[in-house]
Amino acid sequence: MMTRVIAVVLTYNRQELLQCCLDAIQQQTRRCDDILVINNASTDGTREMLESGKYSDLKVYSLKKNMGAAGGFNAGFRLAYDNGADYVWMMDDDVIPETTALERLLEADALLEEKGAKRTYLLSTAFTETGQSTNTPQISDKRNEAGHFGWPEQLEHGLVAVCSGTFVSILLPRSTLKQYGLPISSMFIWGEDAEFTLRITREAPGYLVGASRVAHIRHGGASISIVAETNPVRIGYYKNFVRNNIFLARKYKTRRRLFSVLFNNVVLTIKMLLKGEPRKAYVVMVGLTQSLFFNPHSERVDADYDYSNIEKSTTHQADTYVDHSAGAANPAMFAGLKYIRQS
């Protein structure tokens, strides 16, 4: 029986990047059996573009309300599961996979199956548009029967066992969703992917696949930092970053690490006040306060769900010719594209 692979792309107000992402998915050497686009209440004409006939046979699920990245990924995994996926290939709209990215992920999965190696997911290796490594996952600390870390065992095949990663081209078998549930919607933004991958690798690791490559279009974007942030809307989101990091430390890290995270955020609040940035200090304090009561639980993939926030439409190719010849990972494709972080 053929393995049913469904690609899922989460998008929010990045129409040009989304088109590059979809072009790359449709050029895969191993074709996807379905492509789902989760439109997270975009306001830039994304929905109209998707329904214009430019792309063939997409299933577009438009959320009436922006659920944040966490809510969007939660819905995307759930809807792929509902559509009968054996594997879900998940990514943001700023991920541009090379043409063999999916094929290499599936080959790695088959190799691990042949070796009897347990795994919960596979990740592509991500690079910026300038060729630098990005979204580097955390290497697994599980030990083998000899008492040593087991991650070097698959290096000869270009695979590394990992315990924490992002949703930048992650391939998840249906069984993982069935056993471990979904990303936590209430995290809203920042950290939902870390929580999810840490949760599902408690018994078996994920694997980074060196031969599966994607471009993650960051336009030189630095790491998340409220200190450097100037966008007033995004500054408000940092309460989620603080709250979620404390939640992750409390759930998955040592007590020493938890105290370190708490201490660093208290120091950050003081620094913001001394720099004359009371709003940033207030946002950090809100995150600290919310973390005291934030203890969300994951949902089962087959649990009851309110679908009233989702509007579905299926696209069909128009008669006009669409040029997909630019190439999936050519950096010249990305010149001039406006980058807006997911929210």
Side-chain angles (χ1 to χ4, degrees):
M1 185 173 65
M2 289 291 293
T3 299
R4 180 169 170 77
V5 180
I6 295 182
V8 182
V9 181
L10 177 62
T11 188
Y12 174 72
N13 282 355
R14 296 193 291 212
Q15 185 181 150
E16 290 177 298
L17 278 172
L18 175 61
Q19 292 180 70
C20 289
C21 177
L22 292 174
D23 286 346
I25 290 173
Q26 292 193 331
Q27 293 172 23
Q28 291 296 299
T29 51
R30 198 296 191 182
R31 304 283 291 183
C32 296
D33 298 281
D34 246 337
I35 303 173
L36 278 54
V37 178
I38 311 301
N39 174 25
N40 207 354
S42 295
T43 58
D44 66 342
T46 289
R47 180 170 181 174
E48 291 75 13
M49 181 275 291
L50 290 169
E51 296 176 355
S52 68
K54 179 181 176 72
Y55 293 96
S56 62
D57 299 325
L58 297 180
K59 291 181 180 177
V60 180
Y61 294 89
S62 294
L63 306 186
K64 298 176 185 177
K65 177 184 177 183
N66 186 337
M67 303 296 291
F73 286 125
N74 177 292
F77 280 119
R78 184 190 302 275
L79 290 165
Y81 188 92
D82 289 349
N83 277 272
D86 295 312
Y87 287 87
V88 183
W89 187 28
M90 176 68 73
M91 67 195 76
D92 257 325
D93 52 13
D94 57 357
V95 176
I96 317 297
E98 291 188 356
T99 55
T100 59
L102 176 58
E103 183 177 1
R104 298 293 176 256
L105 288 173
L106 291 169
E107 287 175 349
D109 186 69
L111 175 67
L112 291 167
E113 175 69 22
E114 182 181 327
K115 288 178 167 290
K118 294 182 179 180
R119 67 274 182 208
T120 50
Y121 63 88
L122 295 101
L123 289 173
S124 297
T125 306
F127 299 89
T128 66
E129 60 272 37
T130 58
Q132 297 175 310
S133 296
T134 186
N135 298 94
T136 305
Q138 183 178 341
I139 291 179
S140 175
D141 60 358
K142 293 190 181 302
R143 296 177 182 268
N144 57 25
E145 294 180 358
H148 293 273
F149 294 125
W151 64 262
E153 292 171 5
Q154 307 298 340
L155 276 180
E156 63 179 306
H157 304 294
L159 307 177
V160 179
V162 296
C163 64
S164 177
T166 67
F167 293 152
V168 176
S169 184
I170 184 171
L171 185 72
L172 228 73
R174 184 180 186 87
S175 58
T176 295
L177 292 172
K178 181 71 173 176
Q179 182 173 356
Y180 297 102
L182 297 163
I184 298 175
S185 293
S186 58
M187 294 184 75
F188 193 74
I189 187 173
W190 293 324
E192 73 287 337
D193 44 9
E195 189 285 326
F196 181 73
T197 51
L198 283 167
R199 181 186 352 134
I200 68 178
T201 53
R202 283 175 161 176
E203 298 177 14
Y207 282 88
L208 179 68
V209 182
S212 176
R213 296 167 56 97
V214 300
H216 191 197
I217 310 306
R218 309 298 292 172
H219 288 332
S223 59
I224 299 168
S225 169
I226 194 172
V227 176
E229 187 60 66
T230 57
N231 185 324
V233 175
R234 282 175 54 80
I235 287 172
Y237 287 151
Y238 276 84
K239 64 180 182 291
N240 301 300
F241 181 72
V242 173
R243 179 200 63 194
N244 293 345
N245 272 347
I246 294 170
F247 169 62
L248 288 172
R250 187 172 69 243
K251 186 174 181 181
Y252 296 106
K253 305 298 181 180
T254 63
R255 183 173 297 182
R256 181 177 180 179
R257 173 60 178 166
L258 172 60
F259 287 152
S260 175
V261 172
L262 289 168
F263 177 78
N264 288 340
N265 278 293
V266 171
V267 171
L268 180 60
T269 303
I270 296 170
K271 284 183 177 179
M272 292 297 96
L273 288 171
L274 293 176
K275 287 181 65 176
E277 297 187 271
R279 183 175 178 234
K280 289 184 177 181
Y282 173 75
V283 168
V284 177
M285 289 176 63
V286 170
L288 281 164
T289 303
Q290 289 182 350
S291 72
L292 298 174
F293 312 98
F294 190 66
N295 189 30
H297 299 285
S298 60
E299 307 165 70
R300 290 179 56 84
V301 70
D302 53 2
D304 292 338
Y305 181 73
D306 181 9
Y307 289 88
S308 63
N309 186 46
I310 302 173
E311 295 179 339
K312 178 187 174 184
S313 56
T314 302
T315 68
H316 298 285
Q317 189 92 27
D319 292 334
T320 53
Y321 173 69
V322 180
D323 182 9
H324 296 304
S325 62
N330 180 0
M333 292 174 62
F334 316 129
L337 289 181
K338 184 178 180 181
Y339 178 78
I340 307 172
R341 290 182 187 270
Q342 184 65 260
S343 61

